[in-house]
Amino acid sequence: MDSELISQKPNYEDYFNALTFDPEEIERIGVCIICQSDDRIHLFGTAPLEIVRCRCGFIYNAARPNEPALEQFYRASDAMDRWLNIKETPFEINRQQLKFAPVAQDLKRLGVKSVLDFGSGPGVFLQYCLDEGIKDLSAVECNAMSRKALERVTDKIFSDLPLHGTYDAITLFGVLEHVTDPRKLLIACLSRLNKPGYLVICVPNAGSEVVATLWSRCSTFCPQHLWYFSFSTLDRLMAIVGLGAPISTTTIEPEALPVLRARAGLHPYES
């Protein structure tokens, strides 16, 4: 990422400062979705961001916004308007290219003909699929709702589970950490994959060097992120729902710069 792009980094704090929820919108989560235990320790924070670690090692938000509050947040909040504006900046467009373009290329190389993008936002990933010649595209609205270009790049839109039809690939970019029941979603996706089929999952990595270094200051932790997966806990969840071991895993975001900035006493994310 060149120096000119880095100098144009948007002000993410403007978005995070707009993440507000009322006390009556908070719900408490009783058990871990990995091991079904309620044996956990408090790590940091208070509602709407009370981060705990289960005895099995899984980290999640135990006092978080309830589903109606989250739906209202994604559909009509000032924070989401700011986030969608941020996603259109040159810096974020470059980040999206680093994330989406290789996946679209890999799916094309694997012979994928049909793709369902769950949580498609403005449809950037699907546009990359079109650029690769994959034309049988569908989308499910989820969280960052499609307010802009989604209808332009998709053939059809589904509004909710259960899903309809089958696909060579289903992609979930930044989805599992937002949904209230990741198990239900993964099972539904598995039931809609052709054989052979591919499931692409992208989540913040709670086991990353950035999280280990910055901890409670890390932007990974925010109220609308309900679950905090690492490679190992995501593997366990996939095994629970019958997906088996992943074919490959990779880290998208470089970790060195925010870690070095934090260790130098600087803001880890600002330019």
Side-chain angles (χ1 to χ4, degrees):
M1 192 173 296
D2 60 41
S3 58
E4 181 179 357
L5 273 176
I6 291 176
S7 68
Q8 297 173 358
K9 285 182 68 174
N11 181 11
Y12 297 103
E13 293 299 311
D14 186 49
Y15 163 71
F16 284 107
N17 290 337
L19 297 176
T20 58
F21 296 93
D22 296 329
E24 61 270 18
E25 296 176 327
I26 302 304
E27 67 174 350
R28 299 203 65 85
I29 303 304
V31 299
C32 169
I33 60 170
I34 302 292
C35 70
Q36 303 301 305
S37 169
D38 61 359
D39 184 4
R40 63 202 186 192
I41 61 171
H42 179 271
L43 297 178
F44 66 84
T46 57
L49 187 64
E50 184 179 319
I51 302 302
V52 301
R53 180 189 285 122
C54 176
R55 68 179 181 184
C56 74
F58 185 52
I59 298 173
Y60 60 97
N61 186 357
R64 68 201 195 191
N66 60 31
E67 199 157 357
L70 287 170
E71 181 176 355
Q72 175 65 17
F73 166 77
Y74 292 124
R75 290 186 179 276
S77 72
D78 180 57
M80 281 309 301
D81 285 335
R82 297 183 191 190
W83 182 245
L84 288 172
N85 289 334
I86 285 174
K87 298 301 279 188
E88 294 181 334
T89 61
F91 184 86
E92 280 293 329
I93 289 172
N94 186 76
R95 287 181 67 200
Q96 291 174 74
Q97 181 179 12
L98 294 174
K99 177 166 62 175
F100 294 138
V103 175
Q105 293 162 5
D106 284 345
L107 294 181
K108 176 65 175 179
R109 176 179 55 81
L110 290 167
V112 164
K113 303 296 184 184
S114 58
V115 175
L116 169 67
D117 187 27
F118 199 106
S120 49
V124 176
F125 170 68
L126 294 175
Q127 184 62 63
Y128 280 108
C129 289
L130 283 179
D131 293 342
E132 292 296 326
I134 304 173
K135 300 185 183 301
D136 186 1
L137 303 173
S138 303
V140 173
E141 295 182 357
C142 177
N143 303 325
M145 291 302 190
S146 57
R147 303 182 188 177
K148 307 211 177 209
L150 180 59
E151 289 80 2
R152 179 172 56 83
V153 299
T154 60
D155 296 327
K156 46 189 175 294
I157 298 173
F158 302 114
S159 61
D160 200 1
L161 295 173
L163 307 179
H164 304 286
T166 59
Y167 309 88
D168 295 339
I170 298 177
T171 57
L172 302 106
F173 290 101
V175 172
L176 283 190
E177 69 271 23
H178 292 269
V179 298
T180 55
D181 193 342
R183 294 167 302 180
K184 176 183 176 183
L185 177 56
L186 289 175
I187 291 170
C189 289
L190 181 59
S191 72
R192 298 299 175 181
L193 275 177
N194 294 328
K195 298 185 184 301
Y198 302 92
L199 182 63
V200 179
I201 300 172
C202 178
V203 293
N205 181 8
S208 69
E209 186 67 24
V210 170
V211 173
T213 301
L214 304 181
W215 201 224
S216 62
R217 294 184 297 147
C218 180
S219 62
T220 296
F221 296 104
C222 52
Q224 75 275 28
H225 288 176
L226 312 182
W227 317 102
Y228 297 92
F229 298 97
S230 63
F231 282 133
S232 61
T233 56
L234 184 58
D235 287 353
R236 289 181 63 190
L237 180 63
M238 289 193 292
I240 289 170
V241 300
L243 280 166
I247 295 175
S248 64
T249 57
T250 187
T251 296
I252 299 173
E253 289 283 349
E255 299 183 312
L257 185 58
V259 169
L260 290 173
R261 288 183 59 85
R263 287 175 175 169
L266 302 173
H267 191 291
Y269 300 110
E270 297 301 327
S271 58

